[in-house]
Amino acid sequence: MVDTVPKSQHRPGLMLALLAFAQFIVAADYNIVYVALPDIGSALGFTTQSLQWVVSAYAVAFGGLLLFGGRLVDRIGGRRIFILGAVVFGLACLVGGLAKDPGVLIAARAVQGVGGALLSPATLMLVNTKFEEGAERNRALAVWGACGSGGLAAGALLGGLLTNAWGWEWVLFILVPMALLAAVAAPSVLPADERSGSDASFDVPGAVLATAGSSLLVLGLVSGPEAGWGSLRGAGSIVAGAVLLAVFALVESRTRAPLAPMRLFTNRSLVTAILIILVFQSALSGSYYLFTNYVQDVLGYDALEAGLAFLPLTVISMLASLKLTGILLAKWGPRTTLFIGMLINGVGMIALALAMTTDASFWQLLIGLVIWGVGGGVTFPAMFICAASGVDPSEAGIASALASASQQIGGAAGLAVLVAIANAGLDLSSDAKPAVSAVADGLRTATWVGGVAAVVGGLLAFTLRKPGSAAQESADRQPDQADEIGAVSH
């Protein structure tokens, strides 16, 4: 159905609020279960080895289905898939919170990942197509990014508060009304979907190959630390996933209506953004997990205190997204903004690592958290602004899915590598609990490595064309409006 509602009646401020709210839900869910994992394990009888699947089941389903979800958005419509994704996500959270045995919770988390794989590209596609490229879209993506970067930190905060107050179930129950509210509000807030401009058949072989390849790649990355990197589930899954994705690329280059058109990879902004997202999320996801373990296992924080430790990071990252990103984009353009964001992000992690001793006070940790929050808050929206630059509206869904898929794969890879580094000096074969000093040393080293990776990854930004070139003109247009980054048009 063609959207016949005048643009002026779309209430862009309300639409942006809904899309940013949906992004907050997906981002918060990424970290919300971490603090609750010990309580989940003891309540449902998980083994030490199986407990990681509360996180991994979601990651595998989410990462594996993102490309498929992105193409559904392009073919069926952003509003329809947004509603479907929100409903699936919310109902899966309800089932997970009611779970009484490990199998049900793991299955619910996998279905929740399916919902996320539909909701995430739909949300980003709607931002990229309903707001005009340039200053207007930059402002919208800054608000969207503020909720994304803030949601990542807020997930840990909410996880601690809810687990301490009402039990682990509420880290999932809290998401049910939020997701269903988004689904109910969507028909009246989001514009109706336009009919797809292509009558070609859906690329079923590409969808199967992309889903299987991405799922196996993420499965191998999340399984490596537990099953062993040389195991069938670790290395075997990674190799199989890589082979399937290579076959997928070959099939796509010869298909009339490909799931992921190869011409998208000639868009330098998109490719650069994908690479930066990979590095950024690798460092970010692993470091969130490391810091959670540090404050609980080394400093002895309970779930509530661990959640509250993320409060400065949450507030600072959201403020930086809203207040700084547009100013930096207008003054220096995407290349320098992304580099500065990644540099500050990495410096913050390194500063945090230096303070991570066995007897650190929270005030010693605060400096690193504040710097980290500023860098992450600037980088998150800036890299998605680059990912959307120059993409045809009919392919905005799959482009958004590619960016989101790199986020999931980067997160899984970063978590696996940094956890392996943190545990390298520990004797995990013994039943004896490792010394606190050894645990602190491992977590500090891994956090430091994540920070260095972020700084080095920031150099990728210089592969973007210089401001003023054809590919970047729209992203750098109307600099005088960038100070309106926090304003939402009504």
Side-chain angles (χ1 to χ4, degrees):
M1 179 184 297
V2 177
D3 184 8
T4 58
V5 181
K7 185 177 180 181
S8 61
Q9 294 182 26
H10 282 163
R11 295 173 292 178
L14 192 57
M15 178 170 61
L16 178 57
L18 176 60
L19 296 174
F21 177 64
Q23 173 61 11
F24 179 88
I25 296 170
V26 174
D29 181 67
Y30 195 91
N31 283 337
I32 200 168
V33 300
Y34 279 161
V35 176
L37 284 176
D39 290 56
I40 293 173
S42 59
L44 298 187
F46 277 94
T47 64
T48 302
Q49 292 75 25
S50 64
L51 183 59
Q52 70 144 347
W53 282 102
V54 176
V55 175
S56 299
Y58 176 81
V60 170
F62 195 171
L65 286 165
L66 269 168
L67 293 183
F68 179 67
R71 206 46 170 165
L72 284 180
V73 169
D74 288 332
R75 298 302 302 276
I76 297 176
R79 188 172 77 173
R80 294 187 185 95
I81 299 302
F82 180 97
I83 294 169
L84 177 61
V87 169
V88 171
F89 188 93
L91 294 180
C93 289
L94 177 62
V95 173
L98 295 172
K100 299 301 180 184
D101 66 80
V104 173
L105 179 56
I106 290 173
R109 288 285 289 167
V111 176
Q112 194 180 341
V114 174
L118 298 174
L119 183 60
S120 183
T123 300
L124 186 52
M125 173 267 195
L126 287 165
V127 173
N128 287 333
T129 57
K130 302 307 176 184
F131 296 89
E132 185 177 355
E133 185 169 2
E136 181 182 347
R137 186 187 296 172
N138 289 357
R139 289 194 296 272
L141 280 168
V143 175
W144 176 89
C147 288
S149 58
L152 286 169
L157 171 61
L158 286 171
L161 293 172
L162 294 169
T163 300
N164 184 78
W166 298 309
W168 70 266
E169 297 91 343
W170 281 92
V171 302
L172 295 175
F173 284 155
I174 190 65
L175 298 172
V176 177
M178 296 169 71
L180 296 182
L181 175 62
V184 169
S188 60
V189 173
L190 302 179
D193 295 318
E194 299 178 2
R195 186 183 300 277
S196 172
S198 172
D199 295 325
S201 59
F202 190 81
D203 180 18
V204 175
V208 172
L209 287 168
T211 300
S214 300
S215 297
L216 284 169
L217 184 60
V218 176
L219 174 63
L221 289 170
V222 300
S223 298
E226 176 210 351
W229 290 107
S231 66
L232 180 62
R233 184 148 59 90
S237 295
I238 292 174
V239 171
V243 169
L244 287 177
L245 289 176
V247 175
F248 165 72
L250 180 63
V251 169
E252 296 301 276
S253 66
R254 301 183 178 184
T255 301
R256 288 184 56 196
L259 183 76
M262 292 296 104
R263 63 179 170 274
L264 285 174
F265 297 98
T266 65
N267 182 328
R268 189 184 294 185
S269 289
L270 176 61
V271 172
T272 299
I274 287 173
L275 293 174
I276 290 177
I277 290 168
L278 273 168
V279 177
F280 175 80
Q281 199 67 30
S282 295
L284 190 72
S285 297
S287 297
Y288 273 127
Y289 182 80
L290 296 173
F291 185 66
T292 301
N293 279 270
Y294 168 73
V295 295
Q296 289 185 296
D297 297 342
V298 175
L299 299 185
Y301 286 20
D302 60 25
L304 176 60
E305 292 169 332
L308 289 173
F310 281 88
L311 182 59
L313 188 61
T314 304
V315 174
I316 294 296
S317 62
M318 294 186 75
L319 288 175
S321 290
L322 290 170
K323 301 297 183 182
L324 290 181
T325 305
I327 295 173
L328 295 178
L329 280 171
K331 187 173 183 178
W332 289 314
R335 294 202 317 169
T336 305
T337 298
L338 277 173
F339 173 70
I340 289 175
M342 290 287 281
L343 176 64
I344 296 173
N345 190 62
V347 168
M349 291 182 185
I350 293 171
L352 181 64
L354 294 175
M356 289 169 62
T357 61
T358 56
D359 58 352
S361 69
F362 182 72
W363 300 110
Q364 291 172 296
L365 303 172
L366 185 60
I367 296 174
L369 290 172
V370 169
I371 299 172
W372 180 10
V374 171
V378 168
T379 303
F380 195 92
M383 61 191 185
F384 282 101
I385 286 170
C386 287
S389 179
V391 175
D392 188 273
S394 66
E395 295 172 342
I398 190 63
S400 299
L402 285 169
S404 298
S406 68
Q407 190 179 10
Q408 291 300 310
I409 292 171
L415 182 60
V417 170
L418 293 181
V419 168
I421 293 171
N423 293 337
L426 305 179
D427 181 11
L428 300 179
S429 61
S430 171
D431 292 334
K433 192 173 182 180
V436 172
S437 59
V439 173
D441 287 344
L443 293 171
R444 181 168 55 249
T445 300
T447 304
W448 186 88
V449 170
V452 171
V455 172
V456 174
L459 297 173
L460 289 167
F462 292 107
T463 64
L464 289 168
R465 292 185 176 91
K466 292 182 179 180
S469 67
Q472 292 296 334
E473 282 180 358
S474 60
D476 300 326
R477 197 177 296 142
Q478 297 172 306
D480 56 307
Q481 296 183 29
D483 59 338
E484 298 172 16
I485 197 78
V488 180
S489 300
H490 292 276

